[in-house]
Amino acid sequence: RRQQTASAQCARISQLPVDGLVVYDLQDESTRTDAKRPFPFLKAIDPFDYAFNYLADLHLHKVVYRSVAAQTRESLSAWLSKLAEKDASTVLVGAPSTDLQVNLNLGEAYKLRSELVPQVPLGGVTIAERHMEQGKEEERVSRKMGAGCTFFITQAVYSVTASKNLLSSLYYSSQTTGQKLPPILLTLSPCGSQKTLEFLAWLGVSVPQWLHNELTHAGNILERSVDLAVANFQELFDFANEKGIALGCNVESVSLNKAEIDASVELVHRIAKVLK
């Protein structure tokens, strides 16, 4: 059944106007919050296995996430070496919370990749909500760039203001330091139900009150969420373009619901028109 699903995905994704495919390493993030998870966590197979075995017929550049907290130096070294053979990129991520005991922290994982496979492009995660709450996200991005990150992917974006604040801080910090900003991929994710909206909040995604109201009271929440995602991206793209920031897009679905997955495909086509 996995192979049947993967074959269907290959057929669908190969028809999309995309440059590459992001394959996540799903984690149980229950230690990050005391709130109940709206959907149960399902353990997934290794993203490398899925990207290069199940999706072997999909000839796109693949960006493979890897959670490093449970890894050892030996296991991550072996994984990175396999990835290097596939001419792929990676995004290494740390523990979902500071309460979790780890074998390998993110800094150690970055250093290991630089020593072992510096030719593998390394991406980092940047979070507008974290910048909104704690500030200094531009400093985190700068440190990650110093550790070898050459592109960044955000978590799902619903708040234009939070994302503009982040982009603005990154831009003016780069003007001060002279450190050229790498490409940033804004993640967009459709929302087709109240439960998906609750899940996005559980994941830490900031949904402004006005947008929450628009979705909650929409006749068709899924259609409205796609329209708003496109409008938000257009505004952020124009803002970034004025400042010479290379802004791209990563489209995902956080739901297994078929209608929401279909909506993510529609969203890809509409964002491609913005990016031309």
Side-chain angles (χ1 to χ4, degrees):
R1 289 186 61 190
R2 281 181 189 160
Q3 192 57 65
Q4 289 174 348
T5 300
S7 295
Q9 285 182 325
C10 285
R12 168 174 267 185
I13 295 170
S14 64
Q15 300 302 311
L16 297 178
V18 296
D19 302 303
L21 182 70
V22 173
V23 185
Y24 289 113
D25 188 2
L26 300 183
Q27 301 179 71
D28 181 1
E29 299 183 18
S30 56
T31 58
R32 185 181 46 78
T33 175
D34 293 330
K36 183 180 179 182
R37 200 180 197 275
F39 296 107
F41 175 75
L42 300 176
K43 184 173 174 58
I45 62 175
D46 189 292
F48 180 95
D49 188 23
Y50 199 73
F52 299 107
N53 293 329
Y54 288 94
L55 300 180
D57 292 337
L58 190 61
H59 302 298
L60 280 172
H61 186 82
K62 288 160 184 169
V63 181
V64 187
Y65 273 58
R66 190 60 169 176
S67 171
V68 303
Q71 300 294 309
T72 63
R73 285 184 60 87
E74 292 72 23
S75 65
L76 185 60
S77 295
W79 190 86
L80 286 168
S81 296
K82 287 198 305 178
L83 193 70
E85 295 173 1
K86 298 296 184 180
D87 195 26
S89 302
T90 189
V91 175
L92 301 177
V93 295
S97 78
T98 55
D99 297 331
L100 194 68
Q101 187 173 357
V102 302
N103 292 329
L104 202 66
N105 65 41
L106 190 56
E108 291 169 332
Y110 281 168
K111 186 177 180 183
L112 187 62
R113 169 259 167 199
S114 294
E115 293 171 351
L116 186 67
V117 287
Q119 73 276 22
V120 172
L122 175 67
V125 175
T126 186
I127 303 174
E129 285 82 359
R130 184 168 60 193
H131 186 59
M132 186 168 58
E133 294 170 3
Q134 304 174 15
K136 300 186 178 180
E137 189 70 9
E138 71 277 12
E139 295 179 11
R140 293 187 184 89
V141 167
S142 179
R143 286 197 299 271
K144 289 182 178 182
M145 288 170 62
C149 290
T150 55
F151 65 95
F152 286 84
I153 300 180
T154 73
Q155 75 171 16
V157 167
Y158 270 75
S159 172
V160 169
T161 299
S163 298
K164 270 189 177 180
N165 288 343
L166 172 59
L167 292 173
S168 177
S169 294
L170 290 173
Y171 173 74
Y172 287 108
S173 174
S174 72
Q175 294 297 293
T176 301
T177 64
Q179 193 175 31
K180 181 176 171 56
L181 280 179
I184 299 171
L185 301 176
L186 291 181
T187 297
L188 301 179
S189 183
C191 174
S193 70
Q194 185 65 39
K195 196 164 184 180
T196 300
L197 197 55
E198 292 171 7
F199 186 46
L200 287 165
W202 187 88
L203 289 170
V205 176
S206 174
V207 180
Q209 186 62 54
W210 73 267
L211 201 152
H212 189 280
N213 291 340
E214 289 293 313
L215 294 178
T216 301
H217 297 285
N220 186 325
I221 183 173
L222 188 54
E223 182 179 310
R224 186 67 176 137
S225 81
V226 171
D227 288 343
L228 288 168
V230 174
N232 287 349
F233 183 77
Q234 180 72 69
E235 184 174 343
L236 291 167
F237 180 73
D238 291 341
F239 181 76
N241 200 38
E242 289 173 1
K243 292 175 166 47
I245 300 172
L247 198 69
C249 187
N250 167 44
V251 176
E252 67 179 15
S253 173
V254 299
S255 169
L256 296 178
N257 179 274
K258 183 179 183 300
E260 288 177 277
I261 294 171
D262 288 345
S264 70
V265 172
E266 178 192 344
L267 187 53
V268 166
H269 286 288
R270 292 182 62 177
I271 293 299
K273 291 179 181 177
V274 176
L275 293 171
K276 295 183 174 62

